[in-house]
Amino acid sequence: MTIQIAIDGPASSGKSTIAKQIARQLNIAYVDSGAIYRTITYALLENNIQPNDSEAIKEQLQQFDIELMADQDYFEVRLNQQPIGLEIRSEQVTAAVSEVSAYPFVREYVNHKLQQLSRNYSVIMDGRDIGTVVLPEAEVKIFLTASAEVRAQRRYEENKQRNQLTQSYEDILQAIIERDRYDSNRKIAPLRKAEDAIEVDTSNLTVEEVVNKVISMIQPQL
Ligand code: C5P
């Protein structure tokens, strides 16, 4: 039997941290859907294609070799047979990804790959439209939120720890607000809570508390 768990929410709400820990505990694959949109955006920028050039993006998308590798407890995105790394987390990619991911043909391309993958494996998948569009039949749907200020502070601390403090707290906050605005207002598959999703506000919770809370929601389905 396979189980599908959907975790949606705004930028930097802790989705990947929480989903990774749960995947480890349940011994299932954590699927980072945002990483695929980021990989496409990275590859476009590498080819000097701008996010507003829809015709060039459409054409280029057919040329890309983007593969999702998965196993029971493993998931990886590969670009031209190479595993992708931190290059998809750069400021440039982050600034352009929302525009690229708003194109319907980009979303179709990604959704097809995600749905194929989750047919064969139990997954915990995070993103913006997993509970609403990609896995509407998911057994458990979580919508993770936190105030924009809390999310910016967490991202700032994370960057500091990684010695990657290239943006001030204020810049991070503005970038988060802008990306949420773009992701929430696009016509296709906007960021929103599925009707049957449970909202968890993580503003005043530790990672462990959130993980335990979500695990207790999954447990009855196992
Ligand atoms: O999750 P992450 O912040 O890495 O996602 C990067 C961007 O990819 C989001 O801001 C959004 O524009 C897009 N995205 C999306 N749908 C998803 C996952 C990500 O549109 N399911």
Side-chain angles (χ1 to χ4, degrees), residues 8-213:
D8 290 300
S12 301
S13 53
K15 301 183 296 293
S16 67
T17 307
I18 301 302
K20 271 182 208 159
Q21 293 208 10
I22 292 172
R24 215 171 297 134
Q25 284 196 31
L26 300 182
N27 200 28
I28 61 175
Y30 158 58
V31 178
D32 174 1
S33 68
I36 312 168
Y37 289 103
R38 286 176 178 274
T39 302
I40 294 171
T41 305
Y42 169 78
L44 290 170
L45 295 177
E46 284 287 289
N47 282 279
N48 289 317
I49 295 173
Q50 297 312 305
N52 62 0
D53 193 346
S54 71
E55 283 312 310
I57 296 176
K58 203 180 255 178
E59 204 181 302
Q60 195 65 42
L61 205 52
Q62 310 306 320
Q63 320 296 328
F64 286 156
D65 174 16
I66 295 178
E67 260 187 305
L68 309 190
M69 312 294 290
D71 202 338
Q72 184 201 333
D73 57 355
Y74 168 80
F75 164 78
E76 181 178 271
V77 185
R78 289 201 182 160
L79 173 63
N80 302 327
Q81 277 103 52
Q82 298 299 319
I84 47 101
L86 281 178
E87 62 273 26
I88 64 162
R89 314 270 161 205
S90 72
E91 264 171 59
Q92 290 85 338
V93 170
T94 303
V97 64
S98 288
E99 195 170 348
V100 171
S101 64
Y103 290 113
F105 54 87
V106 172
R107 305 204 69 79
E108 258 170 51
Y109 174 93
V110 173
N111 289 352
H112 179 70
K113 286 183 185 286
L114 289 173
Q115 285 164 346
Q116 258 185 338
L117 183 117
S118 46
R119 230 171 267 144
N120 300 324
Y121 302 99
S122 286
V123 294
I124 179 160
M125 189 183 290
D126 80 351
R128 304 295 185 288
D129 61 341
I130 308 306
T132 52
V133 177
V134 182
L135 302 177
E137 308 295 333
E139 282 85 356
V140 182
K141 297 182 186 179
I142 309 292
F143 195 76
L144 272 197
T145 60
S147 71
E149 288 74 17
V150 166
R151 290 184 281 130
Q153 189 62 40
R154 286 179 187 160
R155 185 46 45 102
Y156 179 82
E157 297 296 336
E158 212 174 277
N159 290 353
K160 200 157 102 182
Q161 271 176 14
R162 286 187 191 149
N163 261 334
Q164 286 175 347
L165 214 48
T166 54
Q167 283 175 299
S168 67
Y169 163 81
E170 222 9 84
D171 288 346
I172 295 175
L173 179 61
Q174 284 318 313
I176 281 180
I177 291 173
E178 179 60 17
R179 197 142 62 93
D180 287 350
R181 194 183 59 77
Y182 212 107
D183 291 343
S184 307
N185 291 306
R186 68 178 172 223
K187 287 205 181 71
I188 298 187
L191 166 67
R192 70 176 168 80
K193 177 182 162 297
E195 269 175 26
D196 50 350
I198 301 165
E199 182 162 343
V200 178
D201 185 338
T202 70
S203 302
N204 298 308
L205 298 176
T206 63
V207 168
E208 199 187 349
E209 284 169 334
V210 180
V211 169
N212 290 341
K213 206 173 174 132

